[in-house]
Amino acid sequence: MKRLAASLAILAILALSARAQPAPGSFLADMELSGPLTPEQAASLGISKDARTFRLSQVKAEFLLLEIFSMYCPHCQREASRVNELDAALRSSPWAGRILLLGLGAGNSSFEVDVFREQYKIPFPLFADPDFTMHKALGQVGTPCFILVGLPGDERGLPVLDSLTGGFGDTKAFLDRLATAAGFKK
């Protein structure tokens, strides 16, 4: 019962504090992430497997798609299989390795992120944001939210190329949208 009340409280906080996602043309701060990475995740991001922390700009890709989620968000739970399809589509697309997917668990501890990863069989790296630090830096967006940024960025931060709050619907259509935002020719 306490777990349900806590879950509902987190959902209410996220819903009440949600603002519009960062707009294309704006910039995100180059956030620092921490947490254990599997050797496969470290390799996919181009980060040293021994790194305890790293900045988003250190990811070895041209573009990074951030998914802001919460394990308590019913929309995030419902979209998890579709996001997994998107990750597989990205990995098998002509842009494989150029656009990488990374998840940020807003208000979630490492334990909660691990539960979400295991329950929904998430293959891409997920990171905890237990105190909402990154969530606040992203504008306290609703969940799920997807933000495509260019890497490595510059002194202004990481350029926002596209963003969407809520489910993205058709995987292929969203992949095409990301490719267009990244400037890839079809």
Side-chain angles (χ1 to χ4, degrees):
M1 189 67 166
K2 288 182 183 180
R3 188 75 165 164
L4 177 61
S7 299
L8 292 174
I10 288 172
L11 282 173
I13 290 169
L14 287 175
L16 292 174
S17 66
R19 298 193 178 126
Q21 69 267 10
S26 64
F27 291 84
L28 292 184
D30 186 12
M31 296 179 279
E32 184 173 79
L33 300 176
S34 63
L37 283 173
T38 66
E40 297 80 18
Q41 290 170 335
S44 74
L45 296 173
I47 304 297
S48 167
K49 64 180 176 154
D50 300 322
R52 301 302 270 160
T53 65
F54 67 93
R55 300 194 89 56
L56 292 177
S57 63
Q58 293 175 294
V59 171
K60 302 298 186 245
E62 293 174 56
F63 306 95
L64 186 61
L65 180 61
L66 301 171
E67 179 199 12
I68 296 77
F69 73 95
S70 171
M71 79 167 286
Y72 299 106
C73 166
H75 307 292
C76 300
Q77 295 167 9
R78 188 172 47 252
E79 290 293 309
S81 64
R82 189 164 294 143
V83 178
N84 286 345
E85 288 174 17
L86 176 64
D87 183 60
L90 281 168
R91 291 175 192 265
S92 65
S93 76
W95 315 293
R98 296 176 70 187
I99 302 176
L100 298 179
L101 182 56
L102 185 146
L104 300 173
N108 296 161
S109 68
S110 293
F111 175 79
E112 291 166 319
V113 166
D114 287 342
V115 168
F116 189 83
R117 178 186 297 112
E118 290 174 25
Q119 182 170 352
Y120 297 103
K121 300 175 179 31
I122 308 296
F124 55 89
L126 300 178
F127 294 88
D129 182 20
D131 56 4
F132 293 98
T133 300
M134 291 178 276
H135 185 251
K136 289 174 188 169
L138 293 166
Q140 297 178 317
V141 297
T143 57
C145 181
F146 300 90
I147 305 169
L148 180 68
V149 296
L151 295 175
D154 59 25
E155 67 278 351
R156 296 171 291 179
L158 307 175
V160 175
L161 305 173
D162 196 7
S163 60
L164 172 73
T165 298
F168 53 78
D170 181 73
T171 301
K172 183 183 178 332
F174 190 56
L175 182 59
D176 289 345
R177 175 180 169 163
L178 295 173
T180 299
F184 297 146
K185 294 183 181 185
K186 295 181 184 180

